[in-house]
Amino acid sequence: MGLPLHLWKIKEEIQGYAREYGLTPFETIFEMVDYKTINEIASLGGFPVRYPHWRFGMEYERMSKSDTYGLHKIYEMVINNDPCYAYLQEGNTTLDQKLVIAHVYGHSDFFKNNMWFAHTDRKMMDEMANHAARVRTYIDRYGLQTVERFLDRCLSIDNLVDPYHPELFSRPVADPTKDSDPEPRRIQGPSYMEKYLNPEDYMEEQRQKITRERQALQKIPARPERDVMGFLLEHAPLQAWERNLLSLVREEALYFSPQGMTKIMNEGWASYWHSKIMTRKAMDFSEFVDFADRHSGTMVMSGRNLNPYKLGIELLRDIEDRWNRGRFGKDWDECDDLREKNVWDREVGLGMEKLFEIRKVYNDVSFIDEFLTAEFCIRHKLFTWAWKERRGEIVLDSRDFAQIKEQLLVQLTNFGQPVIEVVDANFNNRGELMLRHRDDERDLDQAYAQDVLRNVAALWKRPVGILTQREGKEEVWLHDGETFKAGAASGKSHKTEATK
């Protein structure tokens, strides 16, 4: 249902304020829905139509119960699309709707202008409907259980994509037209200078290098491949409908990945603008107290988890203040006088320009890495916590800035998940697929990895293994689709576990 007249006027007014401030959002279409419908759409990932799968029903059940018991309330949803679609919930007050509309325009501007969303399909609303139609066609043709079982396998690895290189690139292969003799190019000159221009030890080194490069090109993949789903899409022995479904799941995973990569920035940017538009333009005096209540409820920090809305908006405000006062650059960094730093104000007024630059090119990892400061952590009382086994409780672990920043970056890098790469598609010359866990000093969950390996083996139709480290020791875990084995990664491999 479209907006009633009074909300349509409010929407037009707030859109005008957003454009006055320099925002350039997509055309945004607002729909008014009831609480049941908004829970249905939220359970489908924000889209009104998705392919049939049991996980969507499970998510709807969870959200409905949470809403019924008052554990959460959905105020808005917005979709990265052109035009942008947003949903408002019936029964919210006019103030709530104003706040949400201003927040949505912040999101829409971020979707349109942030470079990490540039590769996403801007007609994803239509594409999701096409995906749903395709899956239903396969269900009619091959049966619900067969299609759902295959989708389960694909969804178990939908995080094994490379969000930094979303497109499938053609892998380099050896050129059969080249001379098989690995003779490096010689520098031409007089014969008496030959041993100086082309010394034999250097030429031998180059021959070996050429040989290694040609051998690498004959190996599949030629270099470690982080996009496991993309690799399976190209090389796994799948039927046409299976390849189509795997491509569908991968496409959706890559569409959603920038939202995970920019959660703090995206919510911070939308919160910054809804706060500015509401307090300076769109709000009546009678609404200030209620706005403060809604805004503070969104920004509240828990004792154990970071609130991306709060961290994002406060860090953006800190950057704006620093760049307005000139608290950056060589002079600021080299100043050792704390009293001078406390009153430092060069009145350069570059804050807003810097915010729009950040909105365009940064993601959460680069945002935190470059702009989080020790002063910010002290002012906002940030700390790390740890579980103490002996005491049986969670305790404050450290207020050290370096440790806080490192912990944040670890949580944000690759969404806090392990980086898995394909390293060999013909392991031991038996057609087995070998993956590798890029070591980050965190052990893999073996039970979880066992299920994932079983699903990858079902896609690859051959045994699949992964090289990893556990408690500082290298191990290889193998699954042939039926049995899981874990052993040492050295030549003296031994079976430490075998389970069905």
Side-chain angles (χ1 to χ4, degrees):
M1 183 176 72
L3 296 181
L5 181 60
H6 76 285
L7 283 183
W8 184 86
K9 291 180 179 178
I10 289 173
K11 185 265 291 186
E12 290 294 303
E13 178 187 355
I14 291 175
Q15 182 183 31
Y17 296 146
R19 295 192 182 279
E20 284 178 17
Y21 279 120
L23 301 186
T24 56
F26 288 122
E27 177 191 352
T28 305
I29 299 172
F30 289 87
E31 295 284 342
M32 185 76 75
V33 295
D34 59 29
Y35 80 95
K36 180 180 178 181
T37 304
I38 204 167
N39 282 329
E40 290 176 356
I41 296 172
S43 67
L44 295 172
F47 289 86
V49 180
R50 295 292 296 276
Y51 57 82
H53 192 262
W54 58 266
R55 70 183 179 121
F56 298 131
M58 181 181 68
E59 182 65 12
Y60 173 73
E61 185 71 13
R62 184 191 69 80
M63 298 187 78
S64 295
K65 288 182 178 178
S66 180
D67 184 83
T68 300
Y69 295 131
L71 300 178
H72 90 284
K73 181 178 181 180
I74 300 174
Y75 282 96
E76 55 83 22
M77 280 189 303
V78 57
I79 299 174
N80 169 31
N81 198 79
D82 184 12
C84 195
Y85 287 86
Y87 301 93
L88 306 179
Q89 185 171 333
E90 291 179 353
N92 287 345
T93 66
T94 301
L95 172 69
D96 291 335
Q97 307 294 28
K98 281 183 179 180
L99 189 154
V100 166
I101 291 169
H103 193 84
V104 163
Y105 278 119
H107 279 309
S108 182
D109 174 80
F110 194 89
F111 290 149
K112 182 178 179 180
N113 294 289
N114 184 265
M115 63 173 286
W116 298 98
F117 288 86
H119 75 272
T120 58
D121 189 344
R122 302 301 193 176
K123 299 297 180 184
M124 201 61 180
M125 183 76 80
D126 297 333
E127 192 64 21
M128 287 291 190
N130 292 337
H131 290 177
R134 263 191 277 168
V135 173
R136 287 188 173 90
T137 299
Y138 293 141
I139 289 174
D140 292 340
R141 187 176 302 170
Y142 302 107
L144 175 62
Q145 289 188 345
T146 300
V147 173
E148 195 167 76
R149 188 184 307 116
F150 186 80
L151 278 174
D152 287 343
R153 291 166 179 163
C154 296
L155 290 168
S156 72
I157 59 170
D158 67 352
N159 61 333
L160 300 184
V161 294
D162 188 352
Y164 298 99
H165 297 92
E167 300 300 328
L168 280 174
F169 296 102
S170 58
R171 276 74 180 179
V173 295
D175 185 356
T177 64
K178 286 187 176 181
D179 188 358
S180 59
D181 183 20
E183 186 62 29
R185 186 176 67 86
R186 292 179 174 272
I187 299 175
Q188 299 300 319
S191 57
Y192 65 86
M193 292 290 293
E194 177 67 16
K195 66 178 180 179
Y196 300 106
L197 295 175
N198 303 293
E200 188 57 35
D201 55 347
Y202 172 78
M203 297 301 290
E204 181 60 28
E205 181 183 332
Q206 293 303 303
R207 292 187 191 98
Q208 294 176 6
K209 180 180 177 181
I210 293 172
T211 301
R212 287 195 301 268
E213 288 176 350
R214 291 185 180 179
Q215 290 173 347
L217 289 175
Q218 294 169 357
K219 179 183 175 183
I220 301 177
R223 59 183 66 88
E225 177 60 64
R226 183 172 169 179
D227 187 356
V228 178
M229 288 193 80
F231 185 85
L232 292 172
L233 191 60
E234 283 194 342
H235 299 285
L238 301 173
Q239 298 181 44
W241 69 271
E242 292 175 326
R243 198 176 304 278
N244 200 314
L245 285 185
L246 180 61
S247 174
L248 175 154
V249 174
R250 178 179 177 272
E251 181 182 345
E252 293 187 4
L254 288 170
Y255 168 82
F256 285 113
S257 63
Q259 298 182 33
M261 295 168 66
T262 60
K263 179 68 174 177
I264 293 172
M265 284 187 63
N266 199 344
E267 296 298 353
W269 184 256
S271 299
Y272 175 90
W273 287 109
H274 88 227
S275 176
K276 178 165 285 194
I277 290 171
M278 290 295 290
T279 56
R280 299 188 182 185
K281 297 283 187 179
M283 193 164 49
D284 297 332
F285 289 112
S286 61
E287 296 172 322
F288 267 90
V289 173
D290 289 334
F291 170 79
D293 176 66
R294 304 296 193 279
H295 182 74
S296 61
T298 305
M299 298 299 147
V300 66
M301 280 274 207
S302 73
R304 293 178 56 180
N305 297 310
L306 275 174
N307 182 340
Y309 294 80
K310 177 67 172 177
L311 180 58
I313 190 174
E314 294 297 347
L315 196 47
L316 287 172
R317 285 171 172 170
D318 181 67
I319 294 166
E320 182 183 24
D321 179 68
R322 286 163 53 196
W323 260 256
N324 279 337
R325 296 170 179 244
R327 297 185 172 193
F328 63 92
K330 184 174 182 290
D331 292 341
W332 169 260
D333 292 336
E334 293 179 353
C335 179
D336 296 327
D337 190 334
L338 292 180
R339 286 177 297 183
E340 183 180 353
K341 277 195 166 186
N342 284 334
V343 297
W344 189 291
D345 189 356
R346 298 294 188 263
E347 298 182 355
V348 294
L350 297 175
M352 192 56 63
E353 180 183 336
K354 188 64 178 179
L355 291 189
F356 277 94
E357 175 193 326
I358 290 169
R359 175 262 269 153
K360 185 175 182 179
V361 299
Y362 285 81
N363 60 29
D364 284 348
V365 172
S366 55
F367 181 57
I368 295 296
D369 188 39
E370 183 160 348
F371 298 109
L372 188 71
T373 64
E375 293 80 9
F376 181 89
C377 292
I378 293 171
R379 188 162 60 252
H380 292 278
K381 301 178 181 179
L382 299 184
F383 60 88
T384 61
W385 54 267
W387 170 259
K388 296 300 182 182
E389 192 71 36
R390 185 179 302 176
R391 296 169 59 176
E393 63 180 354
I394 293 172
V395 300
L396 190 155
D397 185 45
S398 173
R399 292 190 184 275
D400 178 65
F401 167 66
Q403 194 166 336
I404 293 170
K405 183 175 180 179
E406 180 183 3
Q407 186 65 33
L408 266 175
L409 293 176
V410 166
Q411 292 176 5
L412 295 172
T413 301
N414 200 44
F415 318 117
Q417 300 170 354
V419 176
I420 307 298
E421 302 169 322
V422 179
V423 293
D424 195 349
N426 189 27
F427 184 64
N428 284 340
N429 203 30
R430 294 192 299 233
E432 298 177 0
L433 183 66
M434 184 56 64
L435 311 176
R436 180 179 67 194
H437 169 216
R438 191 185 295 174
D439 182 37
D440 57 1
E441 299 182 354
R442 292 180 295 173
D443 294 343
L444 292 180
D445 182 331
Q446 191 178 82
Y448 188 95
Q450 180 176 339
D451 291 337
V452 173
L453 288 174
R454 181 179 63 247
N455 289 329
V456 177
L459 297 173
W460 189 247
K461 308 290 195 300
R462 294 285 298 161
V464 175
I466 185 167
L467 296 164
T468 185
Q469 288 200 359
R470 199 176 189 190
E471 297 178 353
K473 298 180 180 179
E474 291 189 352
E475 292 188 1
V476 58
W477 300 347
L478 297 169
H479 208 298
D480 61 6
E482 296 290 336
T483 305
F484 174 76
K485 300 177 182 179
S490 64
K492 300 179 180 179
S493 179
H494 62 279
K495 185 196 296 185
T496 58
E497 182 178 358
T499 58
K500 290 279 188 177

